[in-house]
Amino acid sequence: YYGPQERLMTAYELHRNRPSAFFSEVRLNVNYQFIEESRHQRRYQNPELQHRIEYVNIIGFNYMLLHKGDRHEFQCGTDGQYNTLRSVAYAENIYTRDTTSLDTRYPNDGSRMSNVGLYASHIFKINQRWNLTDGIRVGYSDLQARLYPTDFFQFPFDEIRQRNPVYSASVGMAFHPDRKLKLSGMISTGF
């Protein structure tokens, strides 16, 4: 069975209209989340109840500038996120309440991941029926997972590390033959 999830999210957003002659809006969002979730299992007539618990912390931000003109809408900004994950596991004898170690669901000595990026998007209203959209995003992603030596898994390393530049782009067209119908197509890369 799954244990009850505990969730906390707090955020602050600053929104300002007309911060400059070109941009019509600026937004800054800073946020924090905490998530705890657990999984518990026991085989039929087995006295060992297995507990696996995850604790996730997420800190994020987004800074966005928006320009709205008659035919062009332009948005640009930066965003980022920093995540930590701690995974705990143990087996409990339901009769004696004695506990023993158990393999964790995620790396047992903690993980962290961070992402940061810059982005820009554009909408060109060609006429009342046709819109062209395009966008680009570049950034950096960093993942580190630590593995404490255990009896369960014998790896020839104690850390997993990935550091990658990330990028994506998109372009699309939308056609509005009337007020109730929209036909659109888009080509996009992802990461």
Side-chain angles (χ1 to χ4, degrees):
Y1 64 93
Y2 287 91
Q5 289 187 0
E6 289 188 28
R7 292 180 172 266
L8 167 73
M9 179 172 180
T10 181
Y12 176 78
E13 182 167 294
L14 174 67
H15 179 223
R16 186 167 175 208
N17 290 325
R18 297 281 171 212
S20 71
F22 182 73
F23 291 108
S24 56
E25 275 183 57
V26 62
R27 289 185 185 206
L28 171 65
N29 180 295
V30 179
N31 55 75
Y32 168 76
Q33 292 182 67
F34 171 77
I35 303 165
E36 177 186 330
E37 58 182 42
S38 58
R39 294 157 185 84
H40 312 274
Q41 68 185 38
R42 181 170 74 96
R43 292 181 186 240
Y44 182 66
Q45 295 186 343
N46 187 331
E48 183 180 271
L49 176 60
Q50 297 179 348
H51 303 279
R52 288 183 174 84
I53 307 164
E54 280 72 53
Y55 304 94
V56 182
N57 289 283
I58 306 163
I59 300 169
F61 77 92
N62 185 330
Y63 181 73
M64 186 266 301
L65 295 164
L66 177 67
H67 166 77
K68 283 188 177 183
D70 293 337
R71 297 182 66 192
H72 295 273
E73 187 175 308
F74 177 72
Q75 178 179 314
C76 65
T78 182
D79 61 12
Q81 199 175 74
Y82 179 76
N83 304 318
T84 63
L85 167 65
R86 187 169 61 95
S87 194
V88 176
Y90 63 94
E92 173 187 14
N93 184 300
I94 62 171
Y95 301 115
T96 65
R97 298 293 184 219
D98 292 335
T99 60
T100 58
S101 60
L102 187 66
D103 60 312
T104 56
R105 186 170 171 90
Y106 299 101
N108 62 345
D109 200 22
S111 304
R112 69 172 180 77
M113 185 172 82
S114 57
N115 294 301
V116 65
L118 298 168
Y119 62 89
S121 65
H122 172 248
I123 299 173
F124 175 37
K125 299 172 186 168
I126 299 168
N127 57 38
Q128 289 184 347
R129 293 185 177 211
W130 289 93
N131 290 343
L132 171 69
T133 62
D134 55 272
I136 188 167
R137 178 181 172 82
V138 295
Y140 184 76
S141 180
D142 183 19
L143 168 70
Q144 179 184 18
R146 294 182 306 273
L147 306 164
Y148 186 78
T150 67
D151 295 334
F152 304 107
F153 306 105
Q154 298 298 318
F155 296 114
F157 49 85
D158 58 4
E159 182 178 84
I160 299 168
R161 191 77 189 246
Q162 288 184 340
R163 295 178 179 163
N164 298 307
V166 291
Y167 52 88
S168 63
S170 65
V171 64
M173 280 295 261
F175 175 59
H176 304 264
D178 60 43
R179 299 180 89 187
K180 296 181 180 180
L181 184 63
K182 175 184 172 183
L183 304 170
S184 60
M186 178 175 279
I187 297 172
S188 177
T189 62
F191 66 89

